[in-house]
Amino acid sequence: MNIVLLELGDTQSEIWSIHSKRQVQHLREHLDITVGQNLKVGIRNGARYFTEIVSMNEQEVCVRPVHEEIVPAKLPVHLIVALPRPKVLRRLMMDSVTLGVQKISLIHSYRVDKSYWQTPFLQQMDHYVTLGLEQAGDTIAPEIQLYKRFKPFVEDVLPTLISEETPAYVAHPYAEQSMPNSVSHACTVVVGPEGGFIPYEIDLLTKNGCQAVSLGNRILRTETSISYILGRLFV
């Protein structure tokens, strides 16, 4: 935890209270905090502050804001991912948020098991978003959208995201064109499920404005490919 996230309602007085059991336990057991120590605290979807601990007990840590700090900039990318297995989804969400993805869309595809849409992890995503923000020292959560039908999303939604200034790239191991690197523009990145998109899906994506690009001749896990793509695009 590199920042403590508070809700706006927790910061209405001169002294702010950290009372989440998870956060207090982490601060006491892992950071071994003491009164007078400095702590980075952020208001969820708001500003970030350098604070001083003024009091603490087993249930609560109270801090006083000293000065405002700069919130880390987001990557100008809309990440579109075929919904992965629940355990992979948890890691994918935390890593994507930590890396600073601006917007995330989870979509269906042929190789996505329909049971994945029933996983309780979809109702717990806010928790994993919070963990990703805390790791990065960020306060601004990405926008997250769910699309349970592939064809309507690709034909009706995807074209509205693409322009000459904001291209879309779909990762495809058999594409002739390589994934670009060190870009200076916003973009959309589409990543398939384990096993990849089927040919019909790749054809539909490219017909609706995506550029099929290759990451090389190695087959990567979904969460590995996302970290690799983001690092390559925005090095």
Side-chain angles (χ1 to χ4, degrees):
M1 183 190 296
N2 295 305
I3 194 172
V4 179
L5 287 182
L6 299 178
E7 298 297 332
L8 182 61
D10 297 324
T11 61
Q12 298 303 301
S13 63
E14 293 183 0
I15 303 299
W16 299 349
S17 171
I18 303 169
H19 46 76
S20 159
K21 182 178 179 180
R22 176 184 65 84
Q23 291 175 331
V24 171
Q25 183 177 4
H26 183 92
L27 292 173
R28 291 174 61 88
E29 296 181 3
H30 297 281
L31 300 184
D32 194 24
I33 59 171
T34 58
V35 172
Q37 184 176 333
N38 297 122
L39 197 63
K40 292 181 179 181
V41 175
I43 302 173
R44 190 178 177 91
N45 291 321
R48 165 177 144 163
Y49 294 87
F50 184 79
T51 72
E52 179 185 3
I53 299 172
V54 296
S55 67
M56 55 182 288
N57 55 46
E58 292 184 358
Q59 287 78 40
E60 182 182 49
V61 176
C62 294
V63 301
R64 175 180 60 85
V66 177
H67 60 77
E68 187 172 337
E69 294 189 321
I70 296 174
V71 176
K74 292 288 193 219
L75 296 179
V77 61
H78 182 173
L79 180 62
I80 300 172
V81 187
L83 184 66
R85 291 180 294 114
K87 289 184 179 180
V88 174
L89 174 63
R90 179 179 60 187
R91 297 193 298 268
L92 184 152
M93 291 302 299
M94 287 192 291
D95 290 348
S96 298
V97 173
T98 298
L99 289 167
V101 170
Q102 196 167 43
K103 186 174 181 180
I104 302 171
S105 294
L106 299 174
I107 66 172
H108 192 66
S109 77
Y110 180 80
R111 290 191 171 116
V112 170
D113 193 308
K114 291 182 179 179
S115 67
Y116 294 174
W117 291 102
Q118 309 304 319
T119 176
F121 280 125
L122 288 176
Q123 282 69 54
Q124 299 167 4
M125 278 199 298
D126 187 65
H127 172 66
Y128 300 110
V129 168
T130 298
L131 294 180
L133 292 173
E134 289 177 343
Q135 175 63 36
D138 196 357
T139 64
I140 310 298
E143 180 182 352
I144 299 175
Q145 298 174 330
L146 308 179
Y147 296 93
K148 295 184 179 182
R149 299 175 63 201
F150 179 84
K151 191 170 185 285
F153 169 78
V154 174
E155 293 184 334
D156 300 334
V157 179
L158 183 62
T160 68
L161 308 175
I162 301 172
S163 68
E164 289 186 8
E165 294 76 25
T166 56
Y169 307 109
V170 54
H172 183 49
Y174 307 112
E176 294 182 1
Q177 180 181 351
S178 295
M179 172 73 73
N181 56 32
S182 303
V183 302
S184 58
H185 54 74
C187 64
T188 294
V189 173
V190 187
V191 178
E194 293 181 10
F197 288 119
I198 62 174
Y200 163 79
E201 292 170 332
I202 290 293
D203 287 345
L204 195 64
L205 286 163
T206 54
K207 286 177 181 177
N208 284 276
C210 276
Q211 301 175 42
V213 293
S214 170
L215 302 179
N217 57 9
R218 294 183 181 272
I219 306 301
L220 305 177
R221 295 180 184 272
T222 302
E223 62 267 41
T224 305
S225 66
I226 289 172
S227 296
Y228 174 76
I229 290 168
L230 297 178
R232 181 185 176 100
L233 286 174
F234 301 103
V235 67

